[in-house]
Amino acid sequence: MTDLVQNYLDRILSEHAEITEGTLADYIPELARVNPDGFGLALSSSDGYVYRSGDADVEFTLQSVSKPFTYALALELIGAAAVDERLGVEPTGEAFNEISVDSVTKAPKNPMINAGAITAVSLIPAAGPDDRFALIREFYSACVGRQLDIDDAVYRSERAAGSRNRAIAYMLDSFGVLDGDPDEVLDVYYRQCSLKVTSTDLARMGATLARTGINPATGRRVIDAAVVRRTLSVMLTCGMYDMAGDWVTAVGMPAKSGVGGGIVAVLPGQLGIGVYSPRLGPKGNSVRGVRVCRSLSAQLGLHFLNVTEESRSTLRAVYDLPDRRAGIRVYEVHGDLLFAGAERVVRTATAQREHFSAAILDVSRADDINDAARALLAGLSATLQTVGKRGFLVDPDGIVVAKDSPLREAVYDSCEDAVAAAESWLADTAD
């Protein structure tokens, strides 16, 4: 069944593979040397299962994708009140590297633009720049689940070409906003931007935020749930710079882009997405990355206003029938079935296929379903048949298979009817 989800990702990546619009971030010389055709996509479910497509394991530098994570770390370490004294949370409608602050407070308007990100770095409490960077790298690595390393060439290139950021840092210092020497703060900022990740890493970082701060792969809580909620709120309104309104309307997921070509997107309670394609549009976002996220949202129903809490789209019960009906396992589903919930249901059934001969999927308690979830559930029986198993669907209301569909011949109105059909099939196969 994982093949069905994998096919979704492969097809979406293929649909955008020929797009060559955009340019590399040549104002950082080392970024102008990357392969412009790199294209990777990864999706991590909230339980840590990762799907990959294309160049999902090709490394690139975080750049501005780092910003929400340093902001979150600052909130965790010194608290929201102290952070709010130095950083706003309002969208700017300006470019990410604009030299600007709030006209009244003289503080950066949000942590997703360069001025705000540099300020956020200065708020990480530490004895010196090396200790400050160590805290940042440790936190990022905990979100990923592996130790991250610096791309030294990019770091040196960024530091050498950073005149605009130096102007921003000294402006902030003149207003009394920065904690620490501006050159030392900038050096840490360049180092955090130069940490190497893959699309898979970004998906895992997104899944950690989706799980309210628990890394689903390691089971470790790396940040407080209240901090995650605040961070995701700012990502939703400010993470895609001056195209934030279009992003919220068309994609509807908290996200952050970087000029290295990466985008991390989060569907709270559900999943994390990582995309990589280094050609950028005029607003500093990956051209193919943005379009892939649009397609994922539209085809899989991932807009945050369309989703429900994860707890409403999970398995209600899984059990085996005893005695003469041995070999039959029942999967009962309840609540709203959207992509993430359906993916988990069918992945669970497929992973357990060695423990049953026939599986009954009971959706009679499900409330609602979208097209992506419907396709996954409808394909479960065919997938099981390829390994000599059999699937039976209990769908009295026709939410998976419409009542007027010719496929209703294989669908049952009650679990009892499906059990009888499974017993008959088992008896026939035994003869």
Side-chain angles (χ1 to χ4, degrees):
M1 181 53 63
T2 56
D3 289 345
L4 293 176
V5 179
Q6 187 65 52
N7 289 341
Y8 268 119
L9 299 193
D10 292 344
R11 187 181 71 246
I12 287 172
L13 206 71
S14 178
E15 288 173 357
H16 299 88
E18 300 306 315
I19 294 173
T20 58
E21 296 173 31
T23 58
L24 298 176
D26 55 4
Y27 62 92
I28 300 174
E30 196 64 27
L31 294 186
R33 298 187 178 98
V34 304
N35 176 9
D37 297 320
F39 196 17
L41 169 63
L43 183 151
S44 173
S45 65
S46 61
D47 63 354
Y49 191 90
V50 178
Y51 299 91
R52 302 170 178 85
S53 186
D55 300 323
D57 293 321
V58 169
E59 288 191 321
F60 53 93
T61 52
L62 271 171
Q63 299 302 324
S64 291
V65 178
S66 65
K67 292 174 179 175
F69 294 94
T70 297
Y71 176 63
L73 182 60
L75 290 169
E76 179 83 0
L77 295 179
I78 68 174
V83 172
D84 287 346
E85 289 180 359
R86 306 293 181 90
L87 266 175
V89 292
E90 297 298 329
T92 66
E94 299 172 336
F96 65 92
N97 58 355
E98 191 71 22
I99 302 176
S100 70
V101 293
D102 185 90
S103 60
V104 176
T105 66
K106 304 303 181 185
K109 293 180 181 178
N110 69 67
M112 303 299 142
I113 57 174
N114 287 13
I118 293 167
T119 300
V121 168
S122 80
L123 296 178
I124 305 300
D130 290 341
D131 291 336
R132 179 172 278 155
F133 176 66
L135 286 172
I136 291 171
R137 178 159 68 170
E138 179 184 359
F139 174 58
Y140 291 8
S141 298
C143 289
V144 173
R146 73 174 181 94
Q147 184 70 17
L148 300 181
D149 297 317
I150 285 184
D151 186 319
D152 287 325
V154 172
Y155 161 63
R156 291 192 299 270
S157 180
E158 197 156 349
R159 186 176 59 182
S163 297
R164 191 176 187 88
N165 283 328
R166 278 192 288 275
I168 292 173
Y170 275 90
M171 174 193 67
L172 295 171
D173 185 56
S174 73
F175 291 143
V177 172
L178 288 189
D179 279 350
D181 177 86
D183 288 315
E184 291 184 349
V185 170
L186 268 180
D187 189 71
V188 175
Y189 175 68
Y190 293 143
R191 281 191 269 176
Q192 80 171 31
C193 290
S194 301
L195 285 167
K196 295 184 291 186
V197 293
T198 66
S199 301
T200 299
D201 292 333
L202 292 188
R204 287 179 168 145
M205 295 174 86
T208 297
L209 297 181
R211 279 286 299 274
T212 68
I214 297 173
N215 184 319
T218 65
R220 174 188 171 192
R221 175 168 287 284
V222 298
I223 198 153
D224 185 74
V227 169
V228 173
R229 183 169 58 249
R230 185 181 178 98
T231 301
L232 289 176
S233 298
V234 179
M235 288 173 69
L236 183 65
T237 57
C238 307
M240 300 301 285
Y241 305 127
D242 47 340
M243 68 168 290
D246 178 69
W247 178 270
V248 172
T249 302
V251 181
M253 286 183 279
K256 187 70 198 77
S257 62
V259 297
I263 295 178
V264 61
V266 181
L267 190 60
Q270 308 275 337
L271 50 84
I273 295 169
V275 191
Y276 169 64
S277 180
R279 290 191 182 97
L280 310 178
K283 297 180 180 180
N285 301 311
S286 167
V287 174
R288 288 193 298 194
V290 168
R291 294 186 186 180
V292 163
C293 289
R294 282 174 174 263
S295 294
L296 283 170
S297 181
Q299 294 185 33
L300 303 183
L302 302 184
H303 197 290
F304 79 104
L305 292 179
N306 290 337
V307 304
T308 56
E309 292 296 326
E310 180 184 36
S311 60
R312 295 195 62 207
S313 57
T314 56
L315 287 166
R316 179 175 181 269
V318 178
Y319 56 90
D320 293 322
L321 298 181
D323 304 330
R324 65 187 177 87
R325 297 176 293 183
I328 302 175
R329 179 166 291 187
V330 179
Y331 295 86
E332 292 183 359
V333 177
H334 72 150
D336 291 346
L337 275 170
L338 305 177
F339 168 76
E343 183 275 333
R344 179 172 295 186
V345 170
V346 297
R347 177 158 49 86
T348 299
T350 304
Q352 296 176 355
R353 64 185 181 273
E354 299 302 322
H355 302 289
F356 60 78
S357 297
I360 296 174
L361 177 62
D362 185 352
V363 299
S364 60
R365 294 177 179 85
D367 298 326
D368 196 9
I369 191 169
N370 68 4
D371 288 340
R374 185 177 292 110
L376 289 179
L377 295 179
L380 177 59
S381 180
T383 299
L384 292 176
Q385 286 187 43
T386 64
V387 292
K389 311 293 181 177
R390 184 68 180 272
F392 300 84
L393 178 64
V394 180
D395 184 17
D397 297 321
I399 68 167
V400 175
V401 179
K403 288 189 173 184
D404 58 355
S405 170
L407 299 177
R408 288 293 294 185
E409 293 179 2
V411 181
Y412 302 88
D413 288 337
S414 71
C415 194
E416 291 76 12
D417 291 342
V419 168
E423 289 179 324
S424 177
W425 176 77
L426 285 171
D428 290 343
T429 57
D431 292 339

PDB file of all heavy atoms in Angstrom, residues 235-268:
ATOM      1  N   MET A 235       4.952  30.998  11.038  1.00  0.00           N
ATOM      2  CA  MET A 235       5.290  30.412   9.735  1.00  0.00           C
ATOM      3  C   MET A 235       4.133  30.567   8.750  1.00  0.00           C
ATOM      4  O   MET A 235       4.350  30.859   7.568  1.00  0.00           O
ATOM      5  CB  MET A 235       5.619  28.931   9.902  1.00  0.00           C
ATOM      6  CG  MET A 235       6.950  28.644  10.575  1.00  0.00           C
ATOM      7  SD  MET A 235       7.196  26.877  10.938  1.00  0.00           S
ATOM      8  CE  MET A 235       7.367  26.207   9.275  1.00  0.00           C
ATOM      9  N   LEU A 236       2.916  30.371   9.222  1.00  0.00           N
ATOM     10  CA  LEU A 236       1.765  30.456   8.329  1.00  0.00           C
ATOM     11  C   LEU A 236       1.591  31.854   7.765  1.00  0.00           C
ATOM     12  O   LEU A 236       1.290  32.037   6.580  1.00  0.00           O
ATOM     13  CB  LEU A 236       0.500  30.026   9.075  1.00  0.00           C
ATOM     14  CG  LEU A 236      -0.787  29.995   8.252  1.00  0.00           C
ATOM     15  CD1 LEU A 236      -0.722  28.936   7.163  1.00  0.00           C
ATOM     16  CD2 LEU A 236      -1.996  29.745   9.155  1.00  0.00           C
ATOM     17  N   THR A 237       1.787  32.872   8.607  1.00  0.00           N
ATOM     18  CA  THR A 237       1.524  34.241   8.168  1.00  0.00           C
ATOM     19  C   THR A 237       2.734  34.937   7.560  1.00  0.00           C
ATOM     20  O   THR A 237       2.576  35.891   6.792  1.00  0.00           O
ATOM     21  CB  THR A 237       1.022  35.091   9.354  1.00  0.00           C
ATOM     22  OG1 THR A 237       1.989  35.048  10.419  1.00  0.00           O
ATOM     23  CG2 THR A 237      -0.313  34.573   9.867  1.00  0.00           C
ATOM     24  N   CYS A 238       3.945  34.471   7.886  1.00  0.00           N
ATOM     25  CA  CYS A 238       5.147  35.197   7.465  1.00  0.00           C
ATOM     26  C   CYS A 238       6.201  34.340   6.771  1.00  0.00           C
ATOM     27  O   CYS A 238       7.184  34.878   6.253  1.00  0.00           O
ATOM     28  CB  CYS A 238       5.818  35.842   8.684  1.00  0.00           C
ATOM     29  SG  CYS A 238       4.743  36.878   9.704  1.00  0.00           S
ATOM     30  N   GLY A 239       6.039  33.028   6.770  1.00  0.00           N
ATOM     31  CA  GLY A 239       7.118  32.145   6.340  1.00  0.00           C
ATOM     32  C   GLY A 239       7.475  32.218   4.883  1.00  0.00           C
ATOM     33  O   GLY A 239       8.597  31.876   4.502  1.00  0.00           O
ATOM     34  N   MET A 240       6.543  32.643   4.043  1.00  0.00           N
ATOM     35  CA  MET A 240       6.826  32.703   2.599  1.00  0.00           C
ATOM     36  C   MET A 240       6.963  34.147   2.120  1.00  0.00           C
ATOM     37  O   MET A 240       6.703  34.474   0.964  1.00  0.00           O
ATOM     38  CB  MET A 240       5.729  31.972   1.832  1.00  0.00           C
ATOM     39  CG  MET A 240       5.602  30.508   2.207  1.00  0.00           C
ATOM     40  SD  MET A 240       7.107  29.535   1.957  1.00  0.00           S
ATOM     41  CE  MET A 240       7.090  29.373   0.172  1.00  0.00           C
ATOM     42  N   TYR A 241       7.390  35.008   3.051  1.00  0.00           N
ATOM     43  CA  TYR A 241       7.703  36.392   2.745  1.00  0.00           C
ATOM     44  C   TYR A 241       6.508  37.140   2.141  1.00  0.00           C
ATOM     45  O   TYR A 241       5.377  37.011   2.612  1.00  0.00           O
ATOM     46  CB  TYR A 241       8.938  36.482   1.836  1.00  0.00           C
ATOM     47  CG  TYR A 241      10.139  35.780   2.394  1.00  0.00           C
ATOM     48  CD1 TYR A 241      10.835  34.841   1.651  1.00  0.00           C
ATOM     49  CD2 TYR A 241      10.584  36.057   3.682  1.00  0.00           C
ATOM     50  CE1 TYR A 241      11.959  34.201   2.165  1.00  0.00           C
ATOM     51  CE2 TYR A 241      11.689  35.415   4.206  1.00  0.00           C
ATOM     52  CZ  TYR A 241      12.373  34.489   3.445  1.00  0.00           C
ATOM     53  OH  TYR A 241      13.455  33.856   3.956  1.00  0.00           O
ATOM     54  N   ASP A 242       6.759  37.893   1.067  1.00  0.00           N
ATOM     55  CA  ASP A 242       5.706  38.731   0.516  1.00  0.00           C
ATOM     56  C   ASP A 242       4.792  37.981  -0.443  1.00  0.00           C
ATOM     57  O   ASP A 242       4.030  38.598  -1.195  1.00  0.00           O
ATOM     58  CB  ASP A 242       6.269  39.990  -0.147  1.00  0.00           C
ATOM     59  CG  ASP A 242       7.452  39.730  -1.069  1.00  0.00           C
ATOM     60  OD1 ASP A 242       8.087  38.667  -0.931  1.00  0.00           O
ATOM     61  OD2 ASP A 242       7.747  40.584  -1.917  1.00  0.00           O
ATOM     62  N   MET A 243       4.833  36.634  -0.427  1.00  0.00           N
ATOM     63  CA  MET A 243       3.798  35.867  -1.106  1.00  0.00           C
ATOM     64  C   MET A 243       3.003  35.041  -0.093  1.00  0.00           C
ATOM     65  O   MET A 243       2.362  34.060  -0.436  1.00  0.00           O
ATOM     66  CB  MET A 243       4.399  34.949  -2.181  1.00  0.00           C
ATOM     67  CG  MET A 243       5.237  33.802  -1.662  1.00  0.00           C
ATOM     68  SD  MET A 243       5.633  32.563  -2.966  1.00  0.00           S
ATOM     69  CE  MET A 243       4.024  31.829  -3.229  1.00  0.00           C
ATOM     70  N   ALA A 244       3.053  35.473   1.188  1.00  0.00           N
ATOM     71  CA  ALA A 244       2.405  34.707   2.255  1.00  0.00           C
ATOM     72  C   ALA A 244       0.904  34.577   2.044  1.00  0.00           C
ATOM     73  O   ALA A 244       0.323  33.520   2.281  1.00  0.00           O
ATOM     74  CB  ALA A 244       2.693  35.363   3.607  1.00  0.00           C
ATOM     75  N   GLY A 245       0.256  35.639   1.575  1.00  0.00           N
ATOM     76  CA  GLY A 245      -1.187  35.567   1.367  1.00  0.00           C
ATOM     77  C   GLY A 245      -1.566  34.571   0.298  1.00  0.00           C
ATOM     78  O   GLY A 245      -2.500  33.768   0.464  1.00  0.00           O
ATOM     79  N   ASP A 246      -0.843  34.583  -0.799  1.00  0.00           N
ATOM     80  CA  ASP A 246      -1.097  33.627  -1.872  1.00  0.00           C
ATOM     81  C   ASP A 246      -0.835  32.199  -1.381  1.00  0.00           C
ATOM     82  O   ASP A 246      -1.580  31.268  -1.713  1.00  0.00           O
ATOM     83  CB  ASP A 246      -0.197  33.949  -3.066  1.00  0.00           C
ATOM     84  CG  ASP A 246      -0.385  32.957  -4.207  1.00  0.00           C
ATOM     85  OD1 ASP A 246      -1.457  32.971  -4.824  1.00  0.00           O
ATOM     86  OD2 ASP A 246       0.545  32.170  -4.466  1.00  0.00           O
ATOM     87  N   TRP A 247       0.209  32.019  -0.594  1.00  0.00           N
ATOM     88  CA  TRP A 247       0.538  30.693  -0.071  1.00  0.00           C
ATOM     89  C   TRP A 247      -0.578  30.166   0.836  1.00  0.00           C
ATOM     90  O   TRP A 247      -1.010  29.019   0.706  1.00  0.00           O
ATOM     91  CB  TRP A 247       1.852  30.757   0.708  1.00  0.00           C
ATOM     92  CG  TRP A 247       2.242  29.450   1.327  1.00  0.00           C
ATOM     93  CD1 TRP A 247       1.904  28.991   2.561  1.00  0.00           C
ATOM     94  CD2 TRP A 247       3.022  28.407   0.719  1.00  0.00           C
ATOM     95  NE1 TRP A 247       2.426  27.737   2.777  1.00  0.00           N
ATOM     96  CE2 TRP A 247       3.114  27.360   1.656  1.00  0.00           C
ATOM     97  CE3 TRP A 247       3.659  28.275  -0.511  1.00  0.00           C
ATOM     98  CZ2 TRP A 247       3.818  26.186   1.404  1.00  0.00           C
ATOM     99  CZ3 TRP A 247       4.359  27.109  -0.767  1.00  0.00           C
ATOM    100  CH2 TRP A 247       4.431  26.077   0.164  1.00  0.00           C
ATOM    101  N   VAL A 248      -1.039  30.989   1.758  1.00  0.00           N
ATOM    102  CA  VAL A 248      -2.087  30.539   2.678  1.00  0.00           C
ATOM    103  C   VAL A 248      -3.344  30.177   1.910  1.00  0.00           C
ATOM    104  O   VAL A 248      -4.017  29.181   2.205  1.00  0.00           O
ATOM    105  CB  VAL A 248      -2.394  31.631   3.727  1.00  0.00           C
ATOM    106  CG1 VAL A 248      -3.610  31.251   4.560  1.00  0.00           C
ATOM    107  CG2 VAL A 248      -1.194  31.831   4.640  1.00  0.00           C
ATOM    108  N   THR A 249      -3.672  30.955   0.898  1.00  0.00           N
ATOM    109  CA  THR A 249      -4.875  30.698   0.124  1.00  0.00           C
ATOM    110  C   THR A 249      -4.767  29.410  -0.690  1.00  0.00           C
ATOM    111  O   THR A 249      -5.674  28.577  -0.675  1.00  0.00           O
ATOM    112  CB  THR A 249      -5.151  31.874  -0.835  1.00  0.00           C
ATOM    113  OG1 THR A 249      -5.284  33.078  -0.073  1.00  0.00           O
ATOM    114  CG2 THR A 249      -6.432  31.640  -1.616  1.00  0.00           C
ATOM    115  N   ALA A 250      -3.648  29.226  -1.377  1.00  0.00           N
ATOM    116  CA  ALA A 250      -3.518  28.112  -2.322  1.00  0.00           C
ATOM    117  C   ALA A 250      -2.993  26.834  -1.699  1.00  0.00           C
ATOM    118  O   ALA A 250      -3.348  25.737  -2.141  1.00  0.00           O
ATOM    119  CB  ALA A 250      -2.600  28.526  -3.468  1.00  0.00           C
ATOM    120  N   VAL A 251      -2.130  26.951  -0.686  1.00  0.00           N
ATOM    121  CA  VAL A 251      -1.497  25.774  -0.090  1.00  0.00           C
ATOM    122  C   VAL A 251      -2.037  25.503   1.302  1.00  0.00           C
ATOM    123  O   VAL A 251      -2.392  24.380   1.645  1.00  0.00           O
ATOM    124  CB  VAL A 251       0.036  25.937  -0.060  1.00  0.00           C
ATOM    125  CG1 VAL A 251       0.696  24.696   0.553  1.00  0.00           C
ATOM    126  CG2 VAL A 251       0.585  26.180  -1.465  1.00  0.00           C
ATOM    127  N   GLY A 252      -2.062  26.525   2.140  1.00  0.00           N
ATOM    128  CA  GLY A 252      -2.695  26.399   3.445  1.00  0.00           C
ATOM    129  C   GLY A 252      -1.957  25.536   4.437  1.00  0.00           C
ATOM    130  O   GLY A 252      -2.574  24.808   5.218  1.00  0.00           O
ATOM    131  N   MET A 253      -0.620  25.611   4.442  1.00  0.00           N
ATOM    132  CA  MET A 253       0.179  24.921   5.452  1.00  0.00           C
ATOM    133  C   MET A 253       1.249  25.869   5.972  1.00  0.00           C
ATOM    134  O   MET A 253       1.867  26.595   5.179  1.00  0.00           O
ATOM    135  CB  MET A 253       0.853  23.671   4.875  1.00  0.00           C
ATOM    136  CG  MET A 253      -0.056  22.493   4.632  1.00  0.00           C
ATOM    137  SD  MET A 253       0.850  21.037   4.034  1.00  0.00           S
ATOM    138  CE  MET A 253       1.000  21.444   2.277  1.00  0.00           C
ATOM    139  N   PRO A 254       1.510  25.895   7.281  1.00  0.00           N
ATOM    140  CA  PRO A 254       2.669  26.643   7.763  1.00  0.00           C
ATOM    141  C   PRO A 254       3.922  26.158   7.048  1.00  0.00           C
ATOM    142  O   PRO A 254       4.129  24.954   6.885  1.00  0.00           O
ATOM    143  CB  PRO A 254       2.715  26.303   9.259  1.00  0.00           C
ATOM    144  CG  PRO A 254       1.306  25.923   9.605  1.00  0.00           C
ATOM    145  CD  PRO A 254       0.768  25.246   8.377  1.00  0.00           C
ATOM    146  N   ALA A 255       4.761  27.102   6.608  1.00  0.00           N
ATOM    147  CA  ALA A 255       5.914  26.705   5.795  1.00  0.00           C
ATOM    148  C   ALA A 255       7.020  27.731   5.921  1.00  0.00           C
ATOM    149  O   ALA A 255       6.809  28.858   6.371  1.00  0.00           O
ATOM    150  CB  ALA A 255       5.505  26.567   4.326  1.00  0.00           C
ATOM    151  N   LYS A 256       8.215  27.317   5.504  1.00  0.00           N
ATOM    152  CA  LYS A 256       9.348  28.238   5.423  1.00  0.00           C
ATOM    153  C   LYS A 256      10.221  27.827   4.250  1.00  0.00           C
ATOM    154  O   LYS A 256      10.536  26.652   4.060  1.00  0.00           O
ATOM    155  CB  LYS A 256      10.176  28.214   6.707  1.00  0.00           C
ATOM    156  CG  LYS A 256      11.260  29.268   6.717  1.00  0.00           C
ATOM    157  CD  LYS A 256      10.644  30.654   6.840  1.00  0.00           C
ATOM    158  CE  LYS A 256      11.623  31.758   6.422  1.00  0.00           C
ATOM    159  NZ  LYS A 256      11.737  31.850   4.946  1.00  0.00           N
ATOM    160  N   SER A 257      10.618  28.807   3.475  1.00  0.00           N
ATOM    161  CA  SER A 257      11.485  28.589   2.327  1.00  0.00           C
ATOM    162  C   SER A 257      12.882  29.105   2.627  1.00  0.00           C
ATOM    163  O   SER A 257      13.102  29.843   3.590  1.00  0.00           O
ATOM    164  CB  SER A 257      10.922  29.314   1.104  1.00  0.00           C
ATOM    165  OG  SER A 257      10.897  30.717   1.354  1.00  0.00           O
ATOM    166  N   GLY A 258      13.841  28.713   1.779  1.00  0.00           N
ATOM    167  CA  GLY A 258      15.197  29.210   1.895  1.00  0.00           C
ATOM    168  C   GLY A 258      15.815  29.370   0.518  1.00  0.00           C
ATOM    169  O   GLY A 258      15.444  28.652  -0.422  1.00  0.00           O
ATOM    170  N   VAL A 259      16.774  30.277   0.393  1.00  0.00           N
ATOM    171  CA  VAL A 259      17.374  30.522  -0.921  1.00  0.00           C
ATOM    172  C   VAL A 259      18.293  29.388  -1.359  1.00  0.00           C
ATOM    173  O   VAL A 259      18.781  29.393  -2.488  1.00  0.00           O
ATOM    174  CB  VAL A 259      18.119  31.869  -0.968  1.00  0.00           C
ATOM    175  CG1 VAL A 259      17.144  33.019  -0.753  1.00  0.00           C
ATOM    176  CG2 VAL A 259      19.257  31.906   0.034  1.00  0.00           C
ATOM    177  N   GLY A 260      18.517  28.415  -0.498  1.00  0.00           N
ATOM    178  CA  GLY A 260      19.220  27.213  -0.920  1.00  0.00           C
ATOM    179  C   GLY A 260      18.346  26.295  -1.742  1.00  0.00           C
ATOM    180  O   GLY A 260      18.822  25.303  -2.293  1.00  0.00           O
ATOM    181  N   GLY A 261      17.040  26.604  -1.832  1.00  0.00           N
ATOM    182  CA  GLY A 261      16.105  25.812  -2.633  1.00  0.00           C
ATOM    183  C   GLY A 261      15.180  24.936  -1.831  1.00  0.00           C
ATOM    184  O   GLY A 261      14.341  24.229  -2.390  1.00  0.00           O
ATOM    185  N   GLY A 262      15.306  24.959  -0.509  1.00  0.00           N
ATOM    186  CA  GLY A 262      14.467  24.106   0.322  1.00  0.00           C
ATOM    187  C   GLY A 262      13.184  24.771   0.753  1.00  0.00           C
ATOM    188  O   GLY A 262      13.098  25.996   0.862  1.00  0.00           O
ATOM    189  N   ILE A 263      12.172  23.957   0.996  1.00  0.00           N
ATOM    190  CA  ILE A 263      10.919  24.387   1.628  1.00  0.00           C
ATOM    191  C   ILE A 263      10.523  23.305   2.618  1.00  0.00           C
ATOM    192  O   ILE A 263      10.528  22.121   2.290  1.00  0.00           O
ATOM    193  CB  ILE A 263       9.781  24.591   0.614  1.00  0.00           C
ATOM    194  CG1 ILE A 263      10.082  25.725  -0.351  1.00  0.00           C
ATOM    195  CG2 ILE A 263       8.458  24.878   1.338  1.00  0.00           C
ATOM    196  CD1 ILE A 263       9.006  25.936  -1.425  1.00  0.00           C
ATOM    197  N   VAL A 264      10.187  23.713   3.837  1.00  0.00           N
ATOM    198  CA  VAL A 264       9.580  22.808   4.802  1.00  0.00           C
ATOM    199  C   VAL A 264       8.143  23.260   4.998  1.00  0.00           C
ATOM    200  O   VAL A 264       7.862  24.454   5.114  1.00  0.00           O
ATOM    201  CB  VAL A 264      10.344  22.796   6.146  1.00  0.00           C
ATOM    202  CG1 VAL A 264      10.358  24.169   6.811  1.00  0.00           C
ATOM    203  CG2 VAL A 264       9.746  21.751   7.089  1.00  0.00           C
ATOM    204  N   ALA A 265       7.212  22.312   4.969  1.00  0.00           N
ATOM    205  CA  ALA A 265       5.794  22.610   5.186  1.00  0.00           C
ATOM    206  C   ALA A 265       5.263  21.642   6.236  1.00  0.00           C
ATOM    207  O   ALA A 265       5.706  20.487   6.321  1.00  0.00           O
ATOM    208  CB  ALA A 265       5.002  22.490   3.890  1.00  0.00           C
ATOM    209  N   VAL A 266       4.306  22.104   7.004  1.00  0.00           N
ATOM    210  CA  VAL A 266       3.792  21.335   8.142  1.00  0.00           C
ATOM    211  C   VAL A 266       2.275  21.313   8.099  1.00  0.00           C
ATOM    212  O   VAL A 266       1.633  22.362   7.978  1.00  0.00           O
ATOM    213  CB  VAL A 266       4.248  21.966   9.479  1.00  0.00           C
ATOM    214  CG1 VAL A 266       3.727  21.154  10.655  1.00  0.00           C
ATOM    215  CG2 VAL A 266       5.758  22.105   9.528  1.00  0.00           C
ATOM    216  N   LEU A 267       1.708  20.119   8.204  1.00  0.00           N
ATOM    217  CA  LEU A 267       0.275  19.978   8.419  1.00  0.00           C
ATOM    218  C   LEU A 267       0.104  19.532   9.860  1.00  0.00           C
ATOM    219  O   LEU A 267       0.363  18.374  10.199  1.00  0.00           O
ATOM    220  CB  LEU A 267      -0.331  18.960   7.457  1.00  0.00           C
ATOM    221  CG  LEU A 267      -1.862  18.904   7.434  1.00  0.00           C
ATOM    222  CD1 LEU A 267      -2.455  20.247   7.035  1.00  0.00           C
ATOM    223  CD2 LEU A 267      -2.345  17.818   6.492  1.00  0.00           C
ATOM    224  N   PRO A 268      -0.296  20.446  10.758  1.00  0.00           N
ATOM    225  CA  PRO A 268      -0.314  20.129  12.190  1.00  0.00           C
ATOM    226  C   PRO A 268      -1.100  18.854  12.504  1.00  0.00           C
ATOM    227  O   PRO A 268      -2.194  18.643  12.012  1.00  0.00           O
ATOM    228  CB  PRO A 268      -0.977  21.365  12.810  1.00  0.00           C
ATOM    229  CG  PRO A 268      -0.636  22.476  11.860  1.00  0.00           C
ATOM    230  CD  PRO A 268      -0.692  21.836  10.497  1.00  0.00           C
TER     231      PRO A 268
END
